[in-house]
Amino acid sequence: MTDAYIYDSVRSPRGKGKTDGTLNEVSAVRLSALALNELKERNNLDGHAVEDVIWGNVTQVGEQGACLARSAVLYSDLDESIPGVSVNRFCSSALEAVNMAAGQVRGGMGDGYIAGGVESMSRVPMGSDGGAIATDPTLAMKTYFVPQGISADIIATKYGFSRDECDALAVESQKRAARAQSEGRFDRSVFVVRDQNGLTILDRDELIRENTTMQTLGALRPSFKDMGEVMPGFDTVALMKYPEMEAVNHVHHAGNSSGLADGAAAILVGNKEFGERYGLKPRAKFRHMSKIGTDPTIMLTGPVTVTEKILKETGMSFSDIDLMEVNEAFASVVLRFMTHFDADPDKVNVNGGAIAMGHPLGATGAVILGTLLDEMERADKEVGLTTLCIGSGMGVATIIERV
């Protein structure tokens, strides 16, 4: 099987995913095109340089619908002969897109691909596409459906994570992100988003709150308590599924959950011949990719299960992993991962995560893969793992090694 390599990684800054966010004026298709153009220019790609653009985005409706990937190619400076395909595996869509590209390269289906994703949560609100899992009562009843925030609180309750523990992780995420930004750790990958006149719109992640403390977070009200306790009463559904719990402890709020964000990220994937053709040096090699389905009610435990799976499939042990990026969808997700594997906190999300910088759903998988690679090079580490929890109960993981 042919080896697949990462040749480059770029991303936009993450903007606040609300109407007053700085990137609200930039559509998802334009944000995607900017990422594609950045890869093209940085790597001197021309003509039919890549076989395909595989592009993740979650809310595929309105201006993010109708195969956004192909629209982005046509909006960009890439040749129109390059096709595009959109991927939706919820929060891991971009990482799934990258894994699909790597799989195609390894299987001999083309020498090079661009993969990644986008989400403009300020322009296309999360959930505006509907979906049977939440709206079809026959499926919702079968799966004991609850919203993700309730799922995060179920994890905290079931595994004994307190409000203080969740808040402490959030404070640390903010501190790490602020330090990383001030030290320029994101500079290699982040491109400046400019308007049509070349003026800067955004050049750094917008959501970081470096002054966050336990006291400021302590003043915030739990975000999911009302939807859990007041009719329709999702706590009742949760307790039907997990009768061993006496009640759901609602510990998550806006400060220890991922922020809504706008952003795009792209990874250049190819085989050895692709790099030689364009005079590029590979930065990392894909060692393995894996995916799994998990309990759809607790929903967000996928990083644990898929990491166990990928380690078994590769014959590796957890101690073989030098650095890890575990998407900070909610504090309890990362706490569950770290306690299950007894992970060294200094190896997990060392530059902060989505709690501090936001979670642009369809882009995040590629964002954190690029963050992982940059940190592996900065810290001179060899092997890294990226993993995300996923709506409806799934997990995706990727292991890369530096070349």
Side-chain angles (χ1 to χ4, degrees), residues 2-231:
T2 302
D3 284 331
Y5 300 95
I6 295 176
Y7 283 98
D8 203 3
S9 168
V10 301
R11 72 170 177 89
S12 73
R14 279 168 278 192
K16 184 166 63 171
K18 297 183 179 180
T19 54
D20 61 344
T22 303
L23 292 181
N24 174 254
E25 65 182 273
V26 186
S27 68
V29 67
R30 182 164 183 264
L31 202 54
S32 300
L34 291 173
L36 299 180
N37 288 345
E38 187 73 13
L39 274 188
K40 178 182 185 296
E41 293 166 11
R42 283 173 41 147
N43 298 283
N44 298 311
L45 305 179
D46 56 11
H48 195 103
V50 294
E51 187 72 18
D52 203 355
V53 170
I54 307 177
W55 208 242
N57 72 287
V58 174
T59 310
Q60 298 187 8
V61 67
E63 63 187 46
Q64 286 189 171
C67 192
L68 177 62
R70 176 58 176 166
S71 298
V73 170
L74 295 174
Y75 199 115
S76 76
D77 297 333
L78 295 178
D79 195 273
E80 67 178 17
S81 63
I82 298 173
V85 60
S86 293
V87 176
N88 183 0
R89 199 189 288 276
F90 297 133
C91 298
S92 74
S93 295
L95 186 61
E96 186 62 41
V98 173
N99 289 350
M100 290 172 67
Q104 297 272 48
V105 170
R106 293 172 81 178
M109 298 293 289
D111 292 338
Y113 284 77
I114 294 175
V118 70
E119 205 77 28
S120 178
M121 301 183 75
S122 70
R123 296 170 65 97
V124 184
M126 178 174 57
S128 56
D129 55 341
I133 189 67
T135 61
D136 183 338
T138 57
L139 178 58
M141 290 173 65
K142 178 182 178 182
T143 58
Y144 293 87
F145 169 81
V146 298
Q148 281 195 6
I150 301 292
S151 298
D153 286 338
I154 293 172
I155 293 174
T157 305
K158 188 174 176 64
Y159 296 103
F161 303 128
S162 68
R163 165 77 180 252
D164 281 351
E165 287 175 301
C166 291
D167 285 357
L169 185 141
V171 170
E172 184 64 20
S173 180
Q174 294 284 356
K175 288 172 54 179
R176 293 182 179 193
R179 179 193 63 196
Q181 188 173 75
S182 67
E183 294 180 358
R185 296 188 186 186
F186 303 135
D187 290 355
R188 177 169 184 173
S189 292
V190 174
F191 61 86
V192 179
V193 177
R194 305 181 191 275
D195 66 14
Q196 303 288 2
N197 298 313
L199 300 177
T200 297
I201 298 175
L202 188 64
D203 61 1
R204 54 172 43 206
D205 294 313
E206 185 176 26
L207 283 81
I208 298 174
R209 301 178 298 277
E210 59 185 313
N211 295 322
T212 300
T213 65
M214 291 293 287
Q215 289 70 34
T216 59
L217 294 186
L220 299 178
R221 188 174 183 276
S223 297
F224 311 105
K225 184 178 177 66
D226 286 348
M227 72 170 64
E229 296 179 353
V230 181
M231 294 298 292

Side-chain angles (χ1 to χ4, degrees), residues 213-264:
T213 65
M214 291 293 287
Q215 289 70 34
T216 59
L217 294 186
L220 299 178
R221 188 174 183 276
S223 297
F224 311 105
K225 184 178 177 66
D226 286 348
M227 72 170 64
E229 296 179 353
V230 181
M231 294 298 292
F234 286 110
D235 284 5
T236 301
V237 178
L239 296 175
M240 290 172 62
K241 181 71 174 286
Y242 311 108
E244 69 274 16
M245 299 190 308
E246 293 184 4
V248 178
N249 185 20
H250 293 286
V251 300
H252 288 93
H253 50 76
N256 60 25
S257 307
S258 56
L260 304 180
D262 299 339

